[in-house]
Amino acid sequence: MQFIDTHIHLQDYKQNCATDILSAMSDYGCKKLINVSAVEADWGKIKTLAEKYPERIVPAYGLHPWYIEAQKENWQTRLEMLLRQNPQALVGECGLDKLKAPEKAVQVAAFIEQANLAKQYHRPLIVHMVKSFGWLEEIWSSLPQKFVLHSFNGEKEQAGQVVKRGGYISFSASIMKNKNAAEIIRALPEDKILVETDGPYQALEKHQESDISFLPRLINFLAEQKQEKAENLAAKIYQNSLEFIKTW
Ligand SMILES: [Zn+2]
């Protein structure tokens, strides 16, 4: 089984080491990782890793809504420069979070600025969305033509809206704990599904760091809900991931 982990924070691993993960990738069938950032301090670390492992890492530069207020001024200029210098880089993660982040106006403004950069430089956008689908609906038109709602754990209808607008849905281990998983997954077209660890976060077991070796288990779970052969679904998800990372 081949796959791409479409959302990992390599720079945040503590128990495991990023270079060990990178060397073990091929043992598990993991062909590439999208290494996302949350704060500006991540950008340089990701850039260094991506330059060292260009075949394995697709870098994504952005600012997570939780940390927007602590951000130094003029980040927009620095982010734009980074995107210009790295034509293969994606934008993210950025987004909207009703549960744990600054007030709506602050989040929305920072999100739109990042979405605009993605549009301007023709890059896929990686979106964090927690209990804030209504906010997202108000600004649909700001999104670039290619985007993903990462670690999706919302409702079936929301996933439907995303797909209708050309977006992708990425699942992490969290979907395995969702009681509506079957109906959400079944309703989704196969060409819009991606998978991710969100590592080191969101491991199924508490106090563990999630790892790429888990992804075949997640793909098996998705295939069960779809009542399809895991190998077939894995091949489709792999193709979707390759399609997703293409800039335009
Ligand atoms: Zn993340």
Side-chain angles (χ1 to χ4, degrees), residues 141-210:
S141 57
S142 312
L143 268 68
Q145 65 191 65
K146 218 188 269 183
F147 65 94
V148 62
L149 258 59
H150 106 85
S151 193
F152 185 82
N153 216 345
E155 292 155 27
K156 183 178 84 177
E157 292 72 22
Q158 298 173 342
Q161 288 295 316
V162 169
V163 167
K164 221 166 93 185
R165 287 171 167 84
Y168 289 76
I169 295 289
S170 176
F171 293 115
S172 70
S174 67
I175 193 69
M176 296 170 80
K177 294 181 254 177
N178 187 323
K179 61 176 173 25
N180 300 319
E183 65 165 35
I184 295 168
I185 295 160
R186 252 172 236 164
L188 210 54
E190 286 184 350
D191 63 343
K192 291 298 178 188
I193 301 177
L194 305 176
V195 289
E196 62 171 278
T197 55
D198 197 13
Y201 312 107
Q202 304 219 45
L204 268 188
E205 305 80 14
K206 272 195 175 154
H207 313 299
Q208 295 286 318
E209 291 187 328
S210 63

Side-chain angles (χ1 to χ4, degrees), residues 12-18 20-21 200 203 206-210:
D12 291 354
Y13 276 87
K14 300 213 161 53
Q15 298 158 23
N16 298 289
C17 142
D20 288 349
I21 294 170
K206 272 195 175 154
H207 313 299
Q208 295 286 318
E209 291 187 328
S210 63

Side-chain angles (χ1 to χ4, degrees), residues 118-138:
K119 258 187 184 171
Q120 191 183 344
Y121 290 94
H122 311 291
R123 312 298 171 87
L125 183 73
I126 297 164
V127 181
H128 167 103
M129 188 281 295
V130 174
K131 306 275 178 214
S132 55
F133 199 77
W135 298 359
L136 190 64
E137 282 184 305
E138 291 167 19

